[in-house]
Amino acid sequence: MSSNPTRTRQFDLIAFDWDGTLFDSTAIITRCIQAAVADVGGTVPSDKDAAYVIGLGLMQALAHAAPDVPKEKYPLLGARYKHHYVLHQNDISLFDGVLPMLDALKAAGHLLTVATGKSRSGLNEALQAVELRGVFDGSRTADETAGKPHPLMLQELMAEFGVPPERVLMIGDTTHDLQLALNAGCASVGVSYGAHEHTAFAPLQPRHVAHSVAELHTWLLAHA
């Protein structure tokens, strides 16, 4: 593909996952999941098992991470996770290089959106905390639509902005994100610096796997 900076965009709408893709939160979320499970007397999941569920809706994630916790304790499990997360949320920040990348994409005319397993209140708090209000044109969260990898998040964003699947690119750090894109008929790019091992990405057909924000930025400017 031509690297001419004046070339036509391949994608009109770019949807980003949040945690582990733009926000350096994987380690803290993993620890909060483990602490919540311990609080309700469940078997504490390994780092790998706790990280695997990042990107899913909260209760879906906690149920998967703590299969021996009875359903009647799920509300308490969720409350304990939120308790631990609030204690650490100010320790989390954007990955280095994210803001310049988003600014460059916006300047190039892309619609920028977020498709996340976070709650609406959680995403809104994060956007305010990192002064990103106005950067994103739209967003969907797991508590207001179907959770990943169901395609509804992307389908709703496509409908909102009138963009067909072939003009949409999903970017994420988990197999849940890439499966979401595949289910919605959209292209995807994986990043290897988040929650899931990138060796699991290949069957989900990402266009590229970026190993840093800088590499992602370079690829998007050349190919998006």
Side-chain angles (χ1 to χ4, degrees), residues 17-91:
D17 169 60
W18 189 258
D19 290 304
T21 299
L22 298 180
F23 216 44
D24 188 5
S25 50
T26 299
I28 284 177
I29 292 174
T30 297
R31 291 199 294 272
C32 290
I33 290 172
Q34 291 169 326
V37 175
D39 286 350
V40 301
T43 302
V44 176
S46 67
D47 288 353
K48 181 178 181 180
D49 287 344
Y52 175 78
V53 303
I54 294 175
L56 300 176
L58 177 59
M59 295 318 301
Q60 180 186 4
L62 294 175
H64 191 284
D68 62 336
V69 173
K71 289 186 177 180
E72 58 267 25
K73 286 191 175 182
Y74 283 5
L76 176 60
L77 183 60
R80 295 309 298 168
Y81 169 80
K82 291 176 183 177
H83 166 80
H84 291 292
Y85 186 83
V86 166
L87 293 178
H88 295 287
Q89 64 182 357
N90 292 330
D91 301 331

Side-chain angles (χ1 to χ4, degrees), residues 91-175:
D91 301 331
I92 310 172
S93 62
L94 291 170
F95 286 108
D96 289 341
V98 162
L99 283 175
M101 176 182 69
L102 295 175
D103 288 344
L105 293 171
K106 202 159 185 69
H110 297 283
L111 291 165
L112 302 182
T113 65
V114 175
T116 177
K118 296 180 80 65
S119 67
R120 170 52 60 190
S121 62
L123 179 61
N124 287 347
E125 287 174 10
L127 290 173
Q128 291 176 1
V130 296
E131 298 178 340
L132 276 171
R133 281 172 289 180
V135 173
F136 293 102
D137 300 286
S139 59
R140 288 296 186 280
T141 60
D143 61 341
E144 62 190 10
T145 186
K148 300 173 184 177
H150 193 285
L152 191 57
M153 274 190 192
L154 287 182
Q155 290 169 341
E156 289 183 354
L157 288 168
M158 288 187 282
E160 179 178 344
F161 294 101
V163 179
E166 65 271 16
R167 303 290 297 177
V168 175
L169 179 67
M170 176 72 204
I171 300 171
D173 66 310
T174 70
T175 55

Side-chain angles (χ1 to χ4, degrees), residues 2-10 108 221-222:
S2 170
S3 60
N4 188 328
T6 62
R7 64 177 176 78
T8 302
R9 289 191 306 273
Q10 181 171 352
L221 291 184

